[in-house]
PDB file of all heavy atoms in Angstrom:
ATOM      1  N   MET U1033      -3.877  19.354 -11.619  1.00 83.00           N
ATOM      2  CA  MET U1033      -3.119  18.056 -11.670  1.00 83.00           C
ATOM      3  C   MET U1033      -1.962  17.981 -10.692  1.00 83.00           C
ATOM      4  O   MET U1033      -1.662  16.971 -10.117  1.00 83.00           O
ATOM      5  CB  MET U1033      -2.579  17.934 -13.141  1.00 83.00           C
ATOM      6  CG  MET U1033      -2.013  16.559 -13.380  1.00 83.00           C
ATOM      7  SD  MET U1033      -3.258  15.295 -13.336  1.00 83.00           S
ATOM      8  CE  MET U1033      -2.294  13.896 -13.647  1.00 83.00           C
ATOM      9  N   GLU U1034      -1.327  19.121 -10.431  1.00 86.00           N
ATOM     10  CA  GLU U1034      -0.175  19.117  -9.507  1.00 86.00           C
ATOM     11  C   GLU U1034      -0.657  18.802  -8.090  1.00 86.00           C
ATOM     12  O   GLU U1034       0.038  18.219  -7.324  1.00 86.00           O
ATOM     13  CB  GLU U1034       0.499  20.490  -9.540  1.00 86.00           C
ATOM     14  CG  GLU U1034       1.297  20.710 -10.809  1.00 86.00           C
ATOM     15  CD  GLU U1034       1.968  22.094 -10.841  1.00 86.00           C
ATOM     16  OE1 GLU U1034       2.056  22.694  -9.760  1.00 86.00           O
ATOM     17  OE2 GLU U1034       2.387  22.522 -11.914  1.00 86.00           O
ATOM     18  N   ASN U1035      -1.882  19.301  -7.711  1.00 91.00           N
ATOM     19  CA  ASN U1035      -2.389  19.063  -6.396  1.00 91.00           C
ATOM     20  C   ASN U1035      -2.674  17.544  -6.180  1.00 91.00           C
ATOM     21  O   ASN U1035      -2.402  16.992  -5.161  1.00 91.00           O
ATOM     22  CB  ASN U1035      -3.716  19.816  -6.160  1.00 91.00           C
ATOM     23  CG  ASN U1035      -3.430  21.253  -5.801  1.00 91.00           C
ATOM     24  OD1 ASN U1035      -2.329  21.609  -5.435  1.00 91.00           O
ATOM     25  ND2 ASN U1035      -4.431  22.056  -5.865  1.00 91.00           N
ATOM     26  N   VAL U1036      -3.184  16.915  -7.241  1.00 91.00           N
ATOM     27  CA  VAL U1036      -3.452  15.492  -7.172  1.00 91.00           C
ATOM     28  C   VAL U1036      -2.187  14.692  -6.981  1.00 91.00           C
ATOM     29  O   VAL U1036      -2.085  13.799  -6.152  1.00 91.00           O
ATOM     30  CB  VAL U1036      -4.272  15.023  -8.397  1.00 91.00           C
ATOM     31  CG1 VAL U1036      -4.371  13.470  -8.385  1.00 91.00           C
ATOM     32  CG2 VAL U1036      -5.602  15.714  -8.504  1.00 91.00           C
ATOM     33  N   LEU U1037      -1.179  15.032  -7.762  1.00 93.00           N
ATOM     34  CA  LEU U1037       0.122  14.388  -7.659  1.00 93.00           C
ATOM     35  C   LEU U1037       0.792  14.637  -6.292  1.00 93.00           C
ATOM     36  O   LEU U1037       1.408  13.739  -5.693  1.00 93.00           O
ATOM     37  CB  LEU U1037       1.048  14.794  -8.810  1.00 93.00           C
ATOM     38  CG  LEU U1037       0.693  14.316 -10.211  1.00 93.00           C
ATOM     39  CD1 LEU U1037       1.646  14.928 -11.236  1.00 93.00           C
ATOM     40  CD2 LEU U1037       0.653  12.828 -10.284  1.00 93.00           C
ATOM     41  N   GLY U1038       0.590  15.817  -5.821  1.00 94.00           N
ATOM     42  CA  GLY U1038       1.121  16.136  -4.480  1.00 94.00           C
ATOM     43  C   GLY U1038       0.453  15.357  -3.387  1.00 94.00           C
ATOM     44  O   GLY U1038       1.064  14.812  -2.496  1.00 94.00           O
ATOM     45  N   LEU U1039      -0.847  15.147  -3.489  1.00 96.00           N
ATOM     46  CA  LEU U1039      -1.587  14.376  -2.520  1.00 96.00           C
ATOM     47  C   LEU U1039      -1.199  12.848  -2.567  1.00 96.00           C
ATOM     48  O   LEU U1039      -1.088  12.196  -1.547  1.00 96.00           O
ATOM     49  CB  LEU U1039      -3.094  14.577  -2.698  1.00 96.00           C
ATOM     50  CG  LEU U1039      -3.637  15.901  -2.276  1.00 96.00           C
ATOM     51  CD1 LEU U1039      -5.122  16.021  -2.637  1.00 96.00           C
ATOM     52  CD2 LEU U1039      -3.463  16.191  -0.819  1.00 96.00           C
ATOM     53  N   ILE U1040      -1.031  12.382  -3.787  1.00 97.00           N
ATOM     54  CA  ILE U1040      -0.643  10.992  -3.955  1.00 97.00           C
ATOM     55  C   ILE U1040       0.753  10.787  -3.423  1.00 97.00           C
ATOM     56  O   ILE U1040       1.058   9.853  -2.732  1.00 97.00           O
ATOM     57  CB  ILE U1040      -0.714  10.601  -5.451  1.00 97.00           C
ATOM     58  CG1 ILE U1040      -2.163  10.541  -5.931  1.00 97.00           C
ATOM     59  CG2 ILE U1040      -0.076   9.252  -5.683  1.00 97.00           C
ATOM     60  CD1 ILE U1040      -2.359  10.360  -7.420  1.00 97.00           C
ATOM     61  N   GLY U1041       1.584  11.776  -3.677  1.00 96.00           N
ATOM     62  CA  GLY U1041       3.000  11.709  -3.124  1.00 96.00           C
ATOM     63  C   GLY U1041       2.985  11.715  -1.630  1.00 96.00           C
ATOM     64  O   GLY U1041       3.738  11.016  -0.973  1.00 96.00           O
ATOM     65  N   LEU U1042       2.157  12.574  -1.019  1.00 97.00           N
ATOM     66  CA  LEU U1042       2.059  12.662   0.380  1.00 97.00           C
ATOM     67  C   LEU U1042       1.520  11.374   1.004  1.00 97.00           C
ATOM     68  O   LEU U1042       2.013  10.808   2.030  1.00 97.00           O
ATOM     69  CB  LEU U1042       1.145  13.781   0.804  1.00 97.00           C
ATOM     70  CG  LEU U1042       1.018  14.067   2.281  1.00 97.00           C
ATOM     71  CD1 LEU U1042       2.375  14.429   2.908  1.00 97.00           C
ATOM     72  CD2 LEU U1042      -0.005  15.217   2.583  1.00 97.00           C
ATOM     73  N   ALA U1043       0.543  10.763   0.361  1.00 98.00           N
ATOM     74  CA  ALA U1043      -0.011   9.502   0.802  1.00 98.00           C
ATOM     75  C   ALA U1043       0.994   8.358   0.689  1.00 98.00           C
ATOM     76  O   ALA U1043       1.171   7.544   1.664  1.00 98.00           O
ATOM     77  CB  ALA U1043      -1.257   9.122  -0.026  1.00 98.00           C
ATOM     78  N   VAL U1044       1.772   8.380  -0.344  1.00 98.00           N
ATOM     79  CA  VAL U1044       2.841   7.334  -0.496  1.00 98.00           C
ATOM     80  C   VAL U1044       3.928   7.569   0.550  1.00 98.00           C
ATOM     81  O   VAL U1044       4.377   6.575   1.189  1.00 98.00           O
ATOM     82  CB  VAL U1044       3.442   7.418  -1.907  1.00 98.00           C
ATOM     83  CG1 VAL U1044       4.697   6.579  -2.019  1.00 98.00           C
ATOM     84  CG2 VAL U1044       2.446   6.957  -2.943  1.00 98.00           C
ATOM     85  N   PHE U1045       4.272   8.798   0.820  1.00 98.00           N
ATOM     86  CA  PHE U1045       5.273   9.081   1.899  1.00 98.00           C
ATOM     87  C   PHE U1045       4.783   8.609   3.239  1.00 98.00           C
ATOM     88  O   PHE U1045       5.555   8.026   3.971  1.00 98.00           O
ATOM     89  CB  PHE U1045       5.500  10.611   1.880  1.00 98.00           C
ATOM     90  CG  PHE U1045       6.434  11.057   2.971  1.00 98.00           C
ATOM     91  CD1 PHE U1045       7.802  10.872   2.860  1.00 98.00           C
ATOM     92  CD2 PHE U1045       5.980  11.636   4.139  1.00 98.00           C
ATOM     93  CE1 PHE U1045       8.701  11.261   3.824  1.00 98.00           C
ATOM     94  CE2 PHE U1045       6.833  12.037   5.116  1.00 98.00           C
ATOM     95  CZ  PHE U1045       8.206  11.850   4.999  1.00 98.00           C
ATOM     96  N   ILE U1046       3.509   8.886   3.563  1.00 98.00           N
ATOM     97  CA  ILE U1046       2.996   8.404   4.855  1.00 98.00           C
ATOM     98  C   ILE U1046       3.033   6.866   4.981  1.00 98.00           C
ATOM     99  O   ILE U1046       3.472   6.338   6.009  1.00 98.00           O
ATOM    100  CB  ILE U1046       1.566   8.963   5.062  1.00 98.00           C
ATOM    101  CG1 ILE U1046       1.636  10.460   5.279  1.00 98.00           C
ATOM    102  CG2 ILE U1046       0.880   8.313   6.195  1.00 98.00           C
ATOM    103  CD1 ILE U1046       0.278  11.172   5.242  1.00 98.00           C
ATOM    104  N   VAL U1047       2.618   6.141   3.908  1.00 98.00           N
ATOM    105  CA  VAL U1047       2.619   4.766   3.899  1.00 98.00           C
ATOM    106  C   VAL U1047       4.035   4.195   4.045  1.00 98.00           C
ATOM    107  O   VAL U1047       4.276   3.283   4.814  1.00 98.00           O
ATOM    108  CB  VAL U1047       1.963   4.174   2.631  1.00 98.00           C
ATOM    109  CG1 VAL U1047       2.208   2.708   2.476  1.00 98.00           C
ATOM    110  CG2 VAL U1047       0.466   4.460   2.617  1.00 98.00           C
ATOM    111  N   VAL U1048       5.039   4.785   3.357  1.00 98.00           N
ATOM    112  CA  VAL U1048       6.391   4.386   3.470  1.00 98.00           C
ATOM    113  C   VAL U1048       6.948   4.618   4.889  1.00 98.00           C
ATOM    114  O   VAL U1048       7.618   3.747   5.458  1.00 98.00           O
ATOM    115  CB  VAL U1048       7.320   5.088   2.419  1.00 98.00           C
ATOM    116  CG1 VAL U1048       8.744   4.901   2.691  1.00 98.00           C
ATOM    117  CG2 VAL U1048       6.913   4.609   1.061  1.00 98.00           C
ATOM    118  N   MET U1049       6.591   5.739   5.510  1.00 98.00           N
ATOM    119  CA  MET U1049       7.037   6.024   6.867  1.00 98.00           C
ATOM    120  C   MET U1049       6.462   5.005   7.878  1.00 98.00           C
ATOM    121  O   MET U1049       7.161   4.517   8.793  1.00 98.00           O
ATOM    122  CB  MET U1049       6.693   7.449   7.266  1.00 98.00           C
ATOM    123  CG  MET U1049       7.490   8.499   6.577  1.00 98.00           C
ATOM    124  SD  MET U1049       9.283   8.386   7.028  1.00 98.00           S
ATOM    125  CE  MET U1049       9.951   7.878   5.490  1.00 98.00           C
ATOM    126  N   ILE U1050       5.212   4.694   7.734  1.00 98.00           N
ATOM    127  CA  ILE U1050       4.574   3.711   8.618  1.00 98.00           C
ATOM    128  C   ILE U1050       5.157   2.353   8.414  1.00 98.00           C
ATOM    129  O   ILE U1050       5.448   1.657   9.410  1.00 98.00           O
ATOM    130  CB  ILE U1050       3.025   3.710   8.400  1.00 98.00           C
ATOM    131  CG1 ILE U1050       2.424   5.035   8.916  1.00 98.00           C
ATOM    132  CG2 ILE U1050       2.380   2.501   9.133  1.00 98.00           C
ATOM    133  CD1 ILE U1050       0.993   5.204   8.549  1.00 98.00           C
ATOM    134  N   ALA U1051       5.404   1.964   7.189  1.00 98.00           N
ATOM    135  CA  ALA U1051       6.044   0.626   6.917  1.00 98.00           C
ATOM    136  C   ALA U1051       7.469   0.625   7.476  1.00 98.00           C
ATOM    137  O   ALA U1051       7.920  -0.359   8.037  1.00 98.00           O
ATOM    138  CB  ALA U1051       6.080   0.414   5.434  1.00 98.00           C
ATOM    139  N   LEU U1052       8.196   1.718   7.375  1.00 98.00           N
ATOM    140  CA  LEU U1052       9.544   1.754   7.892  1.00 98.00           C
ATOM    141  C   LEU U1052       9.538   1.637   9.403  1.00 98.00           C
ATOM    142  O   LEU U1052      10.336   0.926  10.011  1.00 98.00           O
ATOM    143  CB  LEU U1052      10.213   3.076   7.463  1.00 98.00           C
ATOM    144  CG  LEU U1052      11.679   3.284   7.912  1.00 98.00           C
ATOM    145  CD1 LEU U1052      12.576   2.245   7.240  1.00 98.00           C
ATOM    146  CD2 LEU U1052      12.169   4.681   7.549  1.00 98.00           C
ATOM    147  N   ALA U1053       8.622   2.360  10.107  1.00 98.00           N
ATOM    148  CA  ALA U1053       8.501   2.296  11.522  1.00 98.00           C
ATOM    149  C   ALA U1053       8.153   0.879  11.950  1.00 98.00           C
ATOM    150  O   ALA U1053       8.669   0.349  12.957  1.00 98.00           O
ATOM    151  CB  ALA U1053       7.488   3.275  12.036  1.00 98.00           C
ATOM    152  N   ALA U1054       7.228   0.208  11.247  1.00 98.00           N
ATOM    153  CA  ALA U1054       6.868  -1.132  11.586  1.00 98.00           C
ATOM    154  C   ALA U1054       8.048  -2.111  11.373  1.00 98.00           C
ATOM    155  O   ALA U1054       8.257  -2.983  12.191  1.00 98.00           O
ATOM    156  CB  ALA U1054       5.650  -1.583  10.700  1.00 98.00           C
ATOM    157  N   GLY U1055       8.820  -1.890  10.319  1.00 98.00           N
ATOM    158  CA  GLY U1055       9.968  -2.732  10.092  1.00 98.00           C
ATOM    159  C   GLY U1055      11.022  -2.559  11.188  1.00 98.00           C
ATOM    160  O   GLY U1055      11.598  -3.539  11.662  1.00 98.00           O
ATOM    161  N   VAL U1056      11.306  -1.374  11.565  1.00 97.00           N
ATOM    162  CA  VAL U1056      12.274  -1.156  12.602  1.00 97.00           C
ATOM    163  C   VAL U1056      11.800  -1.710  13.929  1.00 97.00           C
ATOM    164  O   VAL U1056      12.572  -2.339  14.683  1.00 97.00           O
ATOM    165  CB  VAL U1056      12.548   0.416  12.778  1.00 97.00           C
ATOM    166  CG1 VAL U1056      13.363   0.720  14.043  1.00 97.00           C
ATOM    167  CG2 VAL U1056      13.279   0.946  11.524  1.00 97.00           C
ATOM    168  N   THR U1057      10.480  -1.588  14.206  1.00 97.00           N
ATOM    169  CA  THR U1057       9.989  -2.176  15.457  1.00 97.00           C
ATOM    170  C   THR U1057      10.069  -3.692  15.435  1.00 97.00           C
ATOM    171  O   THR U1057      10.484  -4.323  16.434  1.00 97.00           O
ATOM    172  CB  THR U1057       8.498  -1.775  15.576  1.00 97.00           C
ATOM    173  OG1 THR U1057       8.361  -0.352  15.643  1.00 97.00           O
ATOM    174  CG2 THR U1057       7.862  -2.328  16.880  1.00 97.00           C
ATOM    175  N   TRP U1058       9.789  -4.296  14.288  1.00 96.00           N
ATOM    176  CA  TRP U1058       9.897  -5.737  14.179  1.00 96.00           C
ATOM    177  C   TRP U1058      11.361  -6.205  14.398  1.00 96.00           C
ATOM    178  O   TRP U1058      11.595  -7.213  15.105  1.00 96.00           O
ATOM    179  CB  TRP U1058       9.382  -6.192  12.829  1.00 96.00           C
ATOM    180  CG  TRP U1058       9.457  -7.672  12.585  1.00 96.00           C
ATOM    181  CD1 TRP U1058       8.516  -8.568  12.982  1.00 96.00           C
ATOM    182  CD2 TRP U1058      10.504  -8.414  11.967  1.00 96.00           C
ATOM    183  NE1 TRP U1058       8.910  -9.817  12.661  1.00 96.00           N
ATOM    184  CE2 TRP U1058      10.108  -9.767  12.009  1.00 96.00           C
ATOM    185  CE3 TRP U1058      11.679  -8.064  11.324  1.00 96.00           C
ATOM    186  CZ2 TRP U1058      10.901 -10.765  11.453  1.00 96.00           C
ATOM    187  CZ3 TRP U1058      12.457  -9.044  10.819  1.00 96.00           C
ATOM    188  CH2 TRP U1058      12.072 -10.371  10.824  1.00 96.00           C
ATOM    189  N   VAL U1059      12.312  -5.472  13.790  1.00 95.00           N
ATOM    190  CA  VAL U1059      13.720  -5.798  14.013  1.00 95.00           C
ATOM    191  C   VAL U1059      14.132  -5.691  15.454  1.00 95.00           C
ATOM    192  O   VAL U1059      14.814  -6.553  15.972  1.00 95.00           O
ATOM    193  CB  VAL U1059      14.606  -4.945  13.028  1.00 95.00           C
ATOM    194  CG1 VAL U1059      16.054  -5.080  13.446  1.00 95.00           C
ATOM    195  CG2 VAL U1059      14.399  -5.326  11.620  1.00 95.00           C
ATOM    196  N   VAL U1060      13.735  -4.638  16.129  1.00 94.00           N
ATOM    197  CA  VAL U1060      14.078  -4.436  17.492  1.00 94.00           C
ATOM    198  C   VAL U1060      13.537  -5.536  18.349  1.00 94.00           C
ATOM    199  O   VAL U1060      14.160  -6.054  19.219  1.00 94.00           O
ATOM    200  CB  VAL U1060      13.637  -3.060  18.001  1.00 94.00           C
ATOM    201  CG1 VAL U1060      13.723  -2.917  19.505  1.00 94.00           C
ATOM    202  CG2 VAL U1060      14.435  -1.938  17.359  1.00 94.00           C
ATOM    203  N   VAL U1061      12.273  -5.931  18.121  1.00 92.00           N
ATOM    204  CA  VAL U1061      11.641  -6.980  18.872  1.00 92.00           C
ATOM    205  C   VAL U1061      12.371  -8.326  18.682  1.00 92.00           C
ATOM    206  O   VAL U1061      12.561  -9.079  19.556  1.00 92.00           O
ATOM    207  CB  VAL U1061      10.133  -7.149  18.545  1.00 92.00           C
ATOM    208  CG1 VAL U1061       9.554  -8.437  19.081  1.00 92.00           C
ATOM    209  CG2 VAL U1061       9.407  -5.919  19.091  1.00 92.00           C
ATOM    210  N   ARG U1062      12.852  -8.565  17.436  1.00 92.00           N
ATOM    211  CA  ARG U1062      13.520  -9.824  17.157  1.00 92.00           C
ATOM    212  C   ARG U1062      14.922  -9.836  17.735  1.00 92.00           C
ATOM    213  O   ARG U1062      15.403 -10.835  18.224  1.00 92.00           O
ATOM    214  CB  ARG U1062      13.672 -10.003  15.625  1.00 92.00           C
ATOM    215  CG  ARG U1062      12.396 -10.284  14.930  1.00 92.00           C
ATOM    216  CD  ARG U1062      12.037 -11.785  15.104  1.00 92.00           C
ATOM    217  NE  ARG U1062      10.600 -11.726  15.462  1.00 92.00           N
ATOM    218  CZ  ARG U1062      10.055 -12.648  16.245  1.00 92.00           C
ATOM    219  NH1 ARG U1062      10.755 -13.575  16.822  1.00 92.00           N
ATOM    220  NH2 ARG U1062       8.780 -12.596  16.545  1.00 92.00           N
ATOM    221  N   VAL U1063      15.572  -8.714  17.726  1.00 91.00           N
ATOM    222  CA  VAL U1063      16.976  -8.606  18.189  1.00 91.00           C
ATOM    223  C   VAL U1063      17.098  -8.556  19.678  1.00 91.00           C
ATOM    224  O   VAL U1063      18.003  -9.093  20.310  1.00 91.00           O
ATOM    225  CB  VAL U1063      17.736  -7.440  17.517  1.00 91.00           C
ATOM    226  CG1 VAL U1063      19.063  -7.166  18.095  1.00 91.00           C
ATOM    227  CG2 VAL U1063      17.827  -7.668  15.990  1.00 91.00           C
ATOM    228  N   SER U1064      16.192  -7.810  20.334  1.00 88.00           N
ATOM    229  CA  SER U1064      16.320  -7.553  21.802  1.00 88.00           C
ATOM    230  C   SER U1064      16.072  -8.882  22.552  1.00 88.00           C
ATOM    231  O   SER U1064      15.323  -9.753  22.167  1.00 88.00           O
ATOM    232  CB  SER U1064      15.273  -6.572  22.247  1.00 88.00           C
ATOM    233  OG  SER U1064      13.994  -7.023  22.048  1.00 88.00           O
ATOM    234  N   PRO U1065      16.841  -9.071  23.628  1.00 80.00           N
ATOM    235  CA  PRO U1065      16.714 -10.322  24.399  1.00 80.00           C
ATOM    236  C   PRO U1065      15.313 -10.425  25.082  1.00 80.00           C
ATOM    237  O   PRO U1065      14.687  -9.415  25.396  1.00 80.00           O
ATOM    238  CB  PRO U1065      17.788 -10.199  25.409  1.00 80.00           C
ATOM    239  CG  PRO U1065      18.112  -8.786  25.595  1.00 80.00           C
ATOM    240  CD  PRO U1065      17.780  -8.134  24.236  1.00 80.00           C
ATOM    241  N   ASN U1066      14.872 -11.653  25.288  1.00 79.00           N
ATOM    242  CA  ASN U1066      13.636 -11.919  25.955  1.00 79.00           C
ATOM    243  C   ASN U1066      13.728 -11.702  27.454  1.00 79.00           C
ATOM    244  O   ASN U1066      14.568 -12.327  28.091  1.00 79.00           O
ATOM    245  CB  ASN U1066      13.239 -13.386  25.610  1.00 79.00           C
ATOM    246  CG  ASN U1066      11.808 -13.659  26.083  1.00 79.00           C
ATOM    247  OD1 ASN U1066      11.190 -12.897  26.843  1.00 79.00           O
ATOM    248  ND2 ASN U1066      11.258 -14.742  25.555  1.00 79.00           N
ATOM    249  N   PRO U1067      12.911 -10.793  28.034  1.00 75.00           N
ATOM    250  CA  PRO U1067      13.077 -10.534  29.463  1.00 75.00           C
ATOM    251  C   PRO U1067      12.711 -11.750  30.359  1.00 75.00           C
ATOM    252  O   PRO U1067      13.202 -11.873  31.441  1.00 75.00           O
ATOM    253  CB  PRO U1067      12.080  -9.397  29.725  1.00 75.00           C
ATOM    254  CG  PRO U1067      11.274  -9.207  28.567  1.00 75.00           C
ATOM    255  CD  PRO U1067      11.952  -9.957  27.397  1.00 75.00           C
ATOM    256  N   ASN U1068      11.867 -12.642  29.851  1.00 77.00           N
ATOM    257  CA  ASN U1068      11.506 -13.851  30.619  1.00 77.00           C
ATOM    258  C   ASN U1068      12.701 -14.759  30.788  1.00 77.00           C
ATOM    259  O   ASN U1068      12.908 -15.365  31.829  1.00 77.00           O
ATOM    260  CB  ASN U1068      10.345 -14.594  29.967  1.00 77.00           C
ATOM    261  CG  ASN U1068       9.069 -13.779  30.063  1.00 77.00           C
ATOM    262  OD1 ASN U1068       8.879 -13.037  30.952  1.00 77.00           O
ATOM    263  ND2 ASN U1068       8.214 -13.974  29.017  1.00 77.00           N
ATOM    264  N   LYS U1069      13.538 -14.887  29.741  1.00 73.00           N
ATOM    265  CA  LYS U1069      14.710 -15.730  29.838  1.00 73.00           C
ATOM    266  C   LYS U1069      15.696 -15.105  30.852  1.00 73.00           C
ATOM    267  O   LYS U1069      16.397 -15.776  31.577  1.00 73.00           O
ATOM    268  CB  LYS U1069      15.427 -15.832  28.459  1.00 73.00           C
ATOM    269  CG  LYS U1069      14.664 -16.734  27.497  1.00 73.00           C
ATOM    270  CD  LYS U1069      15.418 -16.872  26.189  1.00 73.00           C
ATOM    271  CE  LYS U1069      14.634 -17.752  25.261  1.00 73.00           C
ATOM    272  NZ  LYS U1069      15.355 -17.836  23.924  1.00 73.00           N
ATOM    273  N   LYS U1070      15.810 -13.707  30.832  1.00 66.00           N
ATOM    274  CA  LYS U1070      16.752 -13.045  31.737  1.00 66.00           C
ATOM    275  C   LYS U1070      16.310 -13.330  33.173  1.00 66.00           C
ATOM    276  O   LYS U1070      17.160 -13.605  34.041  1.00 66.00           O
ATOM    277  CB  LYS U1070      16.643 -11.576  31.441  1.00 66.00           C
ATOM    278  CG  LYS U1070      17.766 -10.755  32.076  1.00 66.00           C
ATOM    279  CD  LYS U1070      17.671  -9.340  31.546  1.00 66.00           C
ATOM    280  CE  LYS U1070      18.904  -8.561  31.990  1.00 66.00           C
ATOM    281  NZ  LYS U1070      18.817  -7.148  31.536  1.00 66.00           N
ATOM    282  N   ARG U1071      14.996 -13.311  33.524  1.00 68.00           N
ATOM    283  CA  ARG U1071      14.509 -13.543  34.870  1.00 68.00           C
ATOM    284  C   ARG U1071      14.769 -15.015  35.287  1.00 68.00           C
ATOM    285  O   ARG U1071      15.136 -15.275  36.381  1.00 68.00           O
ATOM    286  CB  ARG U1071      13.041 -13.242  34.969  1.00 68.00           C
ATOM    287  CG  ARG U1071      12.726 -11.759  34.915  1.00 68.00           C
ATOM    288  CD  ARG U1071      11.271 -11.513  35.326  1.00 68.00           C
ATOM    289  NE  ARG U1071      10.986 -10.135  34.896  1.00 68.00           N
ATOM    290  CZ  ARG U1071      10.085  -9.805  33.982  1.00 68.00           C
ATOM    291  NH1 ARG U1071       9.357 -10.746  33.378  1.00 68.00           N
ATOM    292  NH2 ARG U1071       9.846  -8.558  33.682  1.00 68.00           N
ATOM    293  N   ALA U1072      14.563 -15.932  34.337  1.00 67.00           N
ATOM    294  CA  ALA U1072      14.764 -17.323  34.639  1.00 67.00           C
ATOM    295  C   ALA U1072      16.230 -17.681  34.936  1.00 67.00           C
ATOM    296  O   ALA U1072      16.520 -18.553  35.747  1.00 67.00           O
ATOM    297  CB  ALA U1072      14.212 -18.178  33.465  1.00 67.00           C
ATOM    298  N   ALA U1073      17.119 -16.954  34.283  1.00 62.00           N
ATOM    299  CA  ALA U1073      18.527 -17.201  34.479  1.00 62.00           C
ATOM    300  C   ALA U1073      19.038 -16.723  35.817  1.00 62.00           C
ATOM    301  O   ALA U1073      20.014 -17.170  36.338  1.00 62.00           O
ATOM    302  CB  ALA U1073      19.369 -16.597  33.354  1.00 62.00           C
ATOM    303  N   SER U1074      18.353 -15.690  36.395  1.00 56.00           N
ATOM    304  CA  SER U1074      18.811 -15.097  37.669  1.00 56.00           C
ATOM    305  C   SER U1074      18.546 -16.034  38.831  1.00 56.00           C
ATOM    306  O   SER U1074      17.563 -16.666  38.927  1.00 56.00           O
ATOM    307  CB  SER U1074      18.085 -13.724  37.869  1.00 56.00           C
ATOM    308  OG  SER U1074      18.389 -12.900  36.843  1.00 56.00           O
TER     309      SER U1074
END
């Protein structure tokens, strides 16, 4: 039973880490300036 709970815990941990990475990536893409606007302004 402990092995099953450990595997479920590991799977949940992996899913949470992937979701966190996706969330951070989304925030960085939203916050960072658009390079096309930067070129147009020059």
Side-chain angles (χ1 to χ4, degrees):
M1033 189 65 181
E1034 289 179 16
N1035 280 344
V1036 174
L1037 291 177
L1039 289 175
I1040 292 172
L1042 184 61
V1044 169
F1045 177 76
I1046 291 171
V1047 169
V1048 168
M1049 287 297 111
I1050 292 172
L1052 183 64
V1056 169
T1057 302
W1058 181 83
V1059 168
V1060 168
V1061 168
R1062 289 283 133 214
V1063 171
S1064 64
N1066 190 342
N1068 293 331
K1069 287 182 181 178
K1070 195 174 186 181
R1071 288 192 196 115
S1074 300

